[in-house]
């Protein structure tokens, strides 16, 4: 009871503390990391461009607003280790250094995925497909390499990305064709054995609010646990839209994953405000569409009515996250500001999208204030309902 009372007080006090300022931002702007510090970790994806580019704003905004980072591409197998024995350590080292020097929760993304994995991983020197054992050895070498180089300076790894289809079936890929149906189990076995015990192990996927996928992921978690393998979290990629998924399905999924005995990470949150054609939901990055001006209506800025819709959508989503903050470890936005969002280039290249809380100039949008207000409302209500507080 005492803790229940202390948390809202700590929260209220924290909102009075001065916040680091970023040039050009409103004075006294609240920060997301202070706002949600008693609820969950709050992160942003930081790619190589944001880390090393001339524009300092993504680094400054990340340091001032967030207490966790996720890498864009720089730790994926292809960008990190494009050819046998050849490693691009530079961007990954800079990423880990940025996170640790700012005392952040640093995410590793991703050990094994069907995309952005070079062909050589699956072939021997003569181009012939490797055997199951050879591929398992290569997987182990990769995990051992990142474990030796980064250890627990990377706090959590997405071990497997997107290996269960929306219909609940295992995705057909070189991983399953060479290793077999126990590919996810083998990936977690290797991660269990090679990574330090305090590094959290996560299964990450899109469309995690769909019933069939949810049931399959819950079963996978149970199977891994039954085999004595550790899985600490599931990552629900939040590549969502103004109209869906429903808050009910988000809530139901958070409850289902939590009941299966893992922490929930909302890993890739953004709300697409641009039109989409049927069948373009989720985040299958191989799907691409042709350019079409009618599909890019907000080049001059987001109209006020849509700004409001976006703010309301974020408020509803965060109200749900706050209600289940005890089950949610982390909420990560896929990008720091609209300027750096991948949704400017997917599923159609070169559009102007507005999916995040900070606009193209890094300024807070109505959606930013909407999530801050959702938190104030939630904490004030909680204080009022606490019998000890009367
Ligand atoms: C998926 C991956 C991410 C990223 C996005 C698109 O969700 O998990 O790493 O590639 O697609 O930006």
């Amino acid at each position: 009871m005492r803790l229940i009372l202390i948390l809202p007080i700590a929260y209220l006090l924290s909102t009075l503390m001065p916040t680091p300022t970023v040039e050009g931002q409103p004075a006294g702007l609240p920060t997301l990391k202070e706002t949600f510090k008693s609820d969950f970790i709050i992160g942003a994806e930081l790619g190589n461009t944001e880390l090393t580019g001339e524009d300092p704003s993504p680094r400054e905004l990340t340091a001032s607003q967030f207490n966790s980072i996720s890498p864009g591409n720089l730790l994926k197998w292809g960008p990190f280790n494009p050819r046998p024995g050849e490693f691009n350590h530079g961007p990954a080292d800079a990423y880990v250094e940025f996170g640790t020097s700012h005392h952040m929760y640093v995410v590793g993304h991703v050990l094994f995925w069907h995309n952005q994995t070079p062909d050589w991983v699956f072939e021997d020197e003569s181009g012939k497909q490797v055997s199951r054992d050879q591929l398992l050895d290569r997987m182990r070498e990769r995990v051992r390499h990142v474990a030796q180089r980064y250890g627990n300076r990377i706090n959590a790894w997405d071990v497997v990305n997107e290996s269960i289809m929306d219909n609940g079936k295992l995705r057909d890929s070189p991983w399953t064709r060479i290793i077999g149906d126990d590919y996810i189990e083998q990936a977690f076995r290797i991660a269990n054995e090679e990574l330090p015990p305090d590094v959290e192990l996560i299964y990450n996927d899109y469309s995690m609010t769909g019933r069939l996928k949810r049931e399959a992921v819950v079963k996978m978690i149970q199977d891994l646990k039954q085999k004595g393998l550790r899985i600490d979290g599931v990552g629900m990629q939040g590549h969502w839209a103004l109209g869906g998924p429903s808050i009910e399905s988000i809530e139901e999924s958070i409850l289902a994953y939590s009941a299966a005995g893992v922490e929930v990470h909302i890993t890739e949150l953004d709300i697409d405000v641009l039109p989409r054609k049927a069948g373009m939901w989720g985040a299958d990055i191989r799907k691409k569409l042709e350019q079409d001006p009618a599909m890019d209506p907000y080049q001059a800025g987001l109209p006020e009515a849509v700004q409001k819709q976006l703010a309301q959508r974020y408020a509803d989503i965060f109200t749900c996250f706050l209600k289940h903050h005890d089950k949610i470890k982390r909420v990560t936005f896929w990008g720091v500001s609209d300027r750096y969002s991948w949704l400017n280039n997917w599923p159609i290249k070169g559009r102007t999208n507005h999916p995040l809380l900070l606009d193209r100039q890094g300024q807070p949008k109505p959606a930013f204030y909407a999530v801050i207000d959702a938190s104030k409302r939630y904490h004030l209500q909680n204080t009022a309902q606490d019998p000890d507080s009367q």
Side-chain angles (χ1 to χ4, degrees):
M1 273 307 185
R2 191 159 287 245
L3 187 66
I4 297 175
L5 183 62
I6 289 170
L7 284 180
I9 292 175
Y11 162 77
L12 287 174
L13 285 178
S14 75
T15 60
L16 301 175
M17 279 162 54
T19 54
T21 47
V22 175
E23 214 188 310
Q25 283 210 318
L29 184 72
T31 68
L32 298 168
K33 66 181 176 187
E34 283 298 326
T35 301
F36 295 106
K37 77 174 178 196
S38 59
D39 306 309
F40 32 72
I41 296 168
I42 191 105
E45 175 256 348
L46 203 57
N48 196 24
T49 313
E50 294 91 307
L51 268 170
T52 58
E54 269 180 28
D55 175 12
S57 75
R59 298 183 287 280
E60 292 172 0
L61 289 169
T62 304
S64 78
Q65 288 289 339
F66 300 97
N67 50 23
S68 172
I69 48 172
S70 294
N73 293 320
L74 46 84
L75 275 165
K76 290 172 183 169
W77 199 320
F80 186 72
N81 179 196
R83 273 165 289 279
E86 184 186 319
F87 292 91
N88 283 325
H89 285 141
D93 289 1
Y95 165 79
V96 175
E97 176 56 29
F98 182 92
T100 47
S101 67
H102 289 93
H103 312 289
M104 289 173 161
Y105 179 89
V106 179
V107 178
H109 172 81
V110 51
L111 288 174
F112 307 115
W113 191 24
H114 60 282
N115 282 322
Q116 294 182 272
T117 303
D119 291 344
W120 71 260
V121 172
F122 306 109
E123 293 166 357
D124 65 16
E125 299 77 46
S126 58
K128 213 171 109 252
Q129 185 173 293
V130 291
S131 68
R132 169 182 159 102
D133 284 346
Q134 281 170 316
L135 186 51
L136 290 173
D137 283 349
R138 288 182 178 182
M139 291 166 74
R140 189 175 290 279
E141 267 172 43
R142 166 158 166 78
V143 182
R144 194 167 285 174
H145 185 97
V146 295
Q148 278 168 0
R149 194 164 185 91
Y150 304 116
N152 59 7
R153 290 190 298 143
I154 289 185
N155 301 91
W157 269 100
D158 291 337
V159 177
V160 172
N161 203 25
E162 303 177 355
S163 277
I164 294 175
M165 305 283 287
D166 292 359
N167 63 9
K169 301 236 158 65
L170 195 61
R171 180 188 295 275
D172 175 55
S173 72
W175 300 111
T176 50
R177 287 197 288 274
I178 299 173
I179 292 173
D181 287 355
D182 62 343
Y183 150 62
I184 298 179
E185 177 194 330
Q186 293 303 330
F188 272 87
R189 190 171 293 287
I190 291 168
N192 268 254
E193 288 167 3
E194 299 294 337
L195 289 167
D198 54 343
V199 172
E200 290 168 47
L201 308 179
I202 297 172
Y203 174 80
N204 190 52
D205 211 329
Y206 62 80
S207 303
M208 291 281 274
T209 55
R211 186 176 60 82
L212 294 175
K213 187 177 273 199
R214 178 170 64 226
E215 287 170 2
V217 171
V218 164
K219 184 164 181 315
M220 177 207 72
I221 297 166
Q222 290 163 345
D223 286 352
L224 290 177
K225 283 180 180 276
Q226 254 170 25
K227 293 190 167 111
L229 294 173
R230 181 166 62 85
I231 169 168
D232 303 291
V234 290
M236 294 173 63
Q237 295 183 12
H239 296 298
W240 294 334
L242 287 172
S246 69
I247 299 296
E248 291 71 32
S249 68
I250 295 172
E251 180 163 39
E252 210 178 320
S253 306
I254 293 170
L255 291 171
Y257 298 130
S258 172
V262 292
E263 289 181 302
V264 175
H265 297 240
I266 308 293
T267 51
E268 304 185 16
L269 182 58
D270 45 28
I271 306 293
D272 193 344
V273 296
L274 293 182
R276 285 254 186 120
K277 293 196 169 137
M280 294 306 294
W281 298 110
D284 188 339
I285 61 164
R286 285 166 308 173
K287 292 184 182 172
K288 297 245 162 68
L289 288 178
E290 292 303 309
Q291 291 199 342
D292 170 0
M295 301 291 279
D296 191 13
Y298 307 135
Q299 292 177 39
L302 202 56
E304 209 185 310
V306 190
Q307 240 1 318
K308 271 197 186 147
Q309 248 183 304
L310 181 68
Q312 187 58 53
R313 177 77 168 136
Y314 265 118
D316 294 345
I317 288 172
F318 268 78
T319 302
C320 172
F321 291 167
L322 286 159
K323 182 172 164 198
H324 298 295
H325 68 89
D326 58 328
K327 303 169 190 69
I328 297 178
K329 169 102 187 199
R330 167 176 60 104
V331 176
T332 290
F333 290 89
W334 205 241
V336 180
S337 67
D338 288 345
R339 179 169 169 190
Y340 292 97
S341 167
W342 74 297
L343 288 173
N344 294 306
N345 290 303
W346 187 87
I348 303 176
K349 229 176 155 25
R351 294 194 299 174
T352 305
N353 214 327
H354 308 264
L356 298 166
L357 302 186
L358 301 168
D359 69 14
R360 306 184 102 68
Q361 282 73 42
Q363 295 296 317
K365 293 157 63 174
F368 178 92
Y369 294 106
V371 305
I372 303 276
D373 285 349
S375 162
K376 282 187 188 149
R377 262 197 314 276
Y378 175 81
H379 287 282
L380 287 172
Q381 268 167 18
N382 256 24
T383 316
Q385 279 163 15
D386 180 0
D388 278 2
S389 69
Q390 288 164 8

